[in-house]
Amino acid sequence: MCRWIAYSGTPVLLSQVLFQPEHSLIDQSLLSRMGVETTNGDGFGMGWYPQDTEVADSAVLRDVGPAWNDRNLQEVAHHTRSGLFFGHIRAPTGTAVQQSNCHPFRSGRWLWMHNGMISAFRRFRRVLALAVDPVLYPDIEGSTDSEVTFFLALTFGLADDPPGAVARVAGLVETTAKTHGVPHPLQMTVAVTDGERVWAFRYSGEGRSRSLYVSTKVDALRALHPDVAFLRELLDETRLVVSEPLGDLPGAWNEVPESSYGVVKPGGGVLHRFRPEYVDGPGPWG
C-alpha cells in the first residue's frame, strides 16, 4: 500500500512538512510504522498550489524512484512555498512502477491521491472504465485502480459534490465487484482537493480500513504545548491529514473514524459519516 499527507493552512516550504518532522513522509518511505509494507519506494509524487502567482491550476512532480534519495524532490521542496499541498509515496498492488501510475492525479485544479486497493480489479476493470465519461476517458494515462476511481468521481459530479461523487464511486465499485463474485472489494483512504478545501475519506467494506489521522486544532495544541515555538507560527486553521502521525507530540493526532470523511477548509473542519451510494447499472456511460 502507500502513505500520504495533505497539508492546508499557513504557507510553508514544502520541505518543512515533507522532510523535517521526526517521522516525516520521507522517513515513512523507508520505514512505515502502520502500512502494510514497511518500505514505500516505488515512486512518489507531490502536488501543490503555487503562492503569489497567476497560475490557476495545481503543479505536480512525480517520479518512479524512491523519495528518500531523489535530488529533484529535495530541490523543489526546499524552494517551493504553498498553503495547500499533497505528498504521496507508493507501494503498488500489482500495477507497473511507472510515472503515470504515481499519485497525485490531476485534472484542472483537482488533485486526488489514494491508499488502498480494489480487490481483483483486473476482473472488472473494463466495466468500471466504461463508466467514465467518454470526454474524460482519454485523460487516463496509467493503469491503476486509483486513477480510474478519480475519473469516475469526476464523471459522477466531483466538481459540484465531492462527498456524493466519492459515495457513488464506492457504490459502483461494490455493486460491480459483487456481480463478479468479489466480496468487500474496496479499501480506501482518499484525499481530494480543489485548491481551497480538502476532503479526506476513510472506508472499507469490511470495516478494517487503512490508517488515517488528522492533526488537532492549532489553538488547542498551543494550549497543550505553550513552549513549542513552531506552533506560534501557524494560522489557527492549519491542519494535516496523514496516513500515519508525523511525530509523537502528545495530543497532536486523532484517528479518523471508520466509514467517515472530513472537510478541511478556511475557518475549520467538519467530520461526517460516509456511506456508499449504490447506483443502477455500470454508470451513466456504460
Side-chain angles (χ1 to χ4, degrees), residues 130-207:
L130 286 174
V132 174
D133 185 336
V135 174
L136 296 171
Y137 185 84
D139 294 332
I140 298 177
E141 297 181 338
S143 57
T144 65
D145 51 0
S146 302
E147 189 177 18
V148 169
T149 57
F150 176 37
F151 279 85
L152 284 170
L154 290 166
T155 298
F156 289 145
L158 182 68
D160 298 317
D161 178 17
V166 177
R168 289 186 281 276
V169 171
L172 176 64
V173 170
E174 291 191 340
T175 301
T176 304
K178 185 177 181 180
T179 65
H180 288 76
V182 181
H184 308 304
L186 189 57
Q187 172 71 245
M188 71 174 197
T189 66
V190 165
V192 59
T193 181
D194 60 358
E196 297 180 5
R197 295 164 292 175
V198 176
W199 292 263
F201 301 81
R202 187 183 186 213
Y203 174 77
S204 63
E206 294 178 287

Side-chain angles (χ1 to χ4, degrees), residues 107-286:
S107 179
R109 283 188 60 80
W110 290 92
L111 292 175
W112 172 285
M113 60 184 176
H114 169 245
N115 174 35
M117 63 183 297
I118 298 176
S119 298
F121 176 61
R122 292 173 61 89
R123 289 166 59 177
F124 51 93
R125 175 172 58 189
R126 182 176 181 273
V127 177
L128 295 180
L130 286 174
V132 174
D133 185 336
V135 174
L136 296 171
Y137 185 84
D139 294 332
I140 298 177
E141 297 181 338
S143 57
T144 65
D145 51 0
S146 302
E147 189 177 18
V148 169
T149 57
F150 176 37
F151 279 85
L152 284 170
L154 290 166
T155 298
F156 289 145
L158 182 68
D160 298 317
D161 178 17
V166 177
R168 289 186 281 276
V169 171
L172 176 64
V173 170
E174 291 191 340
T175 301
T176 304
K178 185 177 181 180
T179 65
H180 288 76
V182 181
H184 308 304
L186 189 57
Q187 172 71 245
M188 71 174 197
T189 66
V190 165
V192 59
T193 181
D194 60 358
E196 297 180 5
R197 295 164 292 175
V198 176
W199 292 263
F201 301 81
R202 187 183 186 213
Y203 174 77
S204 63
E206 294 178 287
R208 295 198 297 269
S209 303
R210 302 295 183 245
S211 58
L212 193 65
Y213 291 81
V214 61
S215 62
T216 299
K217 291 182 178 179
V218 171
D219 56 352
L221 277 177
R222 288 197 199 100
L224 284 172
H225 305 284
D227 296 330
V228 177
F230 77 86
L231 293 174
R232 296 194 292 269
E233 301 171 1
L234 299 178
L235 297 171
D236 286 350
E237 62 194 37
T238 300
R239 303 297 286 271
L240 293 92
V241 187
V242 298
S243 293
E244 55 189 79
L246 304 185
D248 299 321
L249 186 68
W253 301 101
N254 311 277
E255 186 175 11
V256 176
E258 287 278 357
S259 300
S260 67
Y261 75 92
V263 186
V264 178
K265 57 184 179 180
V270 186
L271 187 68
H272 302 273
R273 183 170 177 78
F274 178 81
R275 295 185 181 92
E277 182 179 327
Y278 297 99
V279 296
D280 295 329
W285 311 104

Side-chain angles (χ1 to χ4, degrees), residues 48-67:
W48 69 95
Y49 296 83
Q51 295 292 124
D52 303 321
T53 74
E54 296 181 358
V55 177
D57 292 343
S58 56
V60 170
L61 173 68
R62 302 186 296 177
D63 209 342
V64 297

Side-chain angles (χ1 to χ4, degrees), residues 48-110:
W48 69 95
Y49 296 83
Q51 295 292 124
D52 303 321
T53 74
E54 296 181 358
V55 177
D57 292 343
S58 56
V60 170
L61 173 68
R62 302 186 296 177
D63 209 342
V64 297
W68 63 79
N69 69 351
D70 189 277
R71 296 180 65 181
N72 289 328
L73 174 60
Q74 295 183 38
E75 185 72 14
V76 172
H78 282 87
H79 292 84
T80 300
R81 188 178 299 273
S82 178
L84 199 162
F85 57 89
F86 281 3
H88 187 281
I89 50 177
R90 186 168 186 252
T93 55
T95 50
V97 178
Q98 61 191 47
Q99 190 178 91
S100 58
N101 284 344
C102 294
H103 310 221
F105 303 104
R106 176 178 60 183
S107 179
R109 283 188 60 80
W110 290 92

